[in-house]
Structures are given as C-alpha cells and as structure tokens.
Amino acid sequence: MAANNITRQGELERILGSLFDELKQPSWVALVDSNGFTVACIPTDPIIDQDRISAMTITAVTNAERVLDELDGGNFRYMSIVGAARQCLIVMLGKERLLSIGLPPGVQPQTTFGSIRTRIPDLLQALSRRFKY
C-alpha cells in the first residue's frame, strides 16, 4: 500500500501488531475508547470477542476510578486483573483511550511497560493525524 493510501485503521493495526509481536504470548492487544468501543484490535478475531474486551475494559476502569476516588489515590494509570488462566492489563492512554492487553497469568505486567511506552507516541500520533482515506 502506498504511503498516501494509509488509513487510520491500518496504521493503528500496524502499531498494535508491532506491540503484539513484542509481548510475551498476548491473547489480544486492543485500543478501546472511553465510550466502550473497540477502535482497533490485534488479532482481529481474538479468543475473547472484541465487544467483551471493550465492555470489560470500561467496566474495570470505571470501578477502579471509583476505588481510587475513595482512596484519594489520584488519576487512574493502569491495572492488572489476574486469574488462573489469563490476565487483563489495562493502561490509560489519556482521557479518551485505553489499551487492553490479554496476557498469560505468569507474565509480570511491568515486563510489558517498555514495549508499551515505545508504542504510545505512535498510537497518539496516529489518532490525531489527518488521513486522506
């Protein structure tokens, strides 16, 4: 695809795909907006339905923000919900976007932060950039 034919969706999927490839056996890497919609997801057909990923992301963050408010804990940054078979890492990317990542239960969330940190500027740029298509 020529550089001038790049779409926002294609660029977001490329960036999320790069993050997916860098992480330790992720089940999904999804960009979710503050209204609970999946903006982009890799793979496009994850083991958990995209609608469920976005719904659980918003629900978890809403509850976490309420707890943080009660604790005077400040602004939400990230959370990890870990179960016996899988965990969900959710990272705030500003007021309007969240990154939801499905990981195996043994992966320490901190091991993903370097890769996430290098991709955040690319994601934010792709979200703010004007695309022709």
Side-chain angles (χ1 to χ4, degrees), residues 36-113:
F37 295 106
T38 302
V39 177
C41 184
I42 299 296
T44 56
D45 188 22
I47 59 170
I48 305 293
D49 182 71
Q50 288 188 27
D51 290 338
R52 289 176 57 201
I53 291 170
S54 58
M56 71 180 170
T57 298
I58 292 300
T59 300
V61 170
T62 300
N63 288 325
E65 287 176 333
R66 179 160 183 203
V67 170
L68 286 169
D69 187 48
E70 294 293 326
L71 297 171
D72 291 326
N75 293 330
F76 174 84
R77 293 184 182 177
Y78 74 93
M79 69 186 306
S80 183
I81 304 167
V82 183
R86 187 172 295 117
Q87 70 176 298
C88 180
L89 173 64
I90 302 169
V91 179
M92 179 66 79
L93 299 180
K95 295 179 184 179
E96 309 240 342
R97 305 280 189 264
L98 299 155
L99 191 61
S100 176
I101 302 172
L103 295 167
V107 174
Q108 295 295 320
Q110 294 82 355
T111 64
T112 66
F113 292 163

Side-chain angles (χ1 to χ4, degrees), residues 2-8 129-133:
N4 60 354
N5 291 334
I6 296 173
T7 64
R8 175 174 284 111
R129 183 174 147 206
R130 293 181 63 105
F131 287 83
K132 186 175 179 179
Y133 298 97

Side-chain angles (χ1 to χ4, degrees), residues 1-37:
M1 181 179 297
N4 60 354
N5 291 334
I6 296 173
T7 64
R8 175 174 284 111
Q9 190 68 24
E11 184 65 1
L12 291 172
E13 288 173 357
R14 181 192 67 76
I15 297 164
L16 293 179
S18 294
L19 180 57
F20 185 92
D21 292 342
E22 289 177 20
L23 298 177
K24 295 179 183 176
Q25 301 174 328
S27 298
W28 70 83
V29 176
L31 183 63
V32 178
D33 73 13
S34 60
N35 294 315
F37 295 106

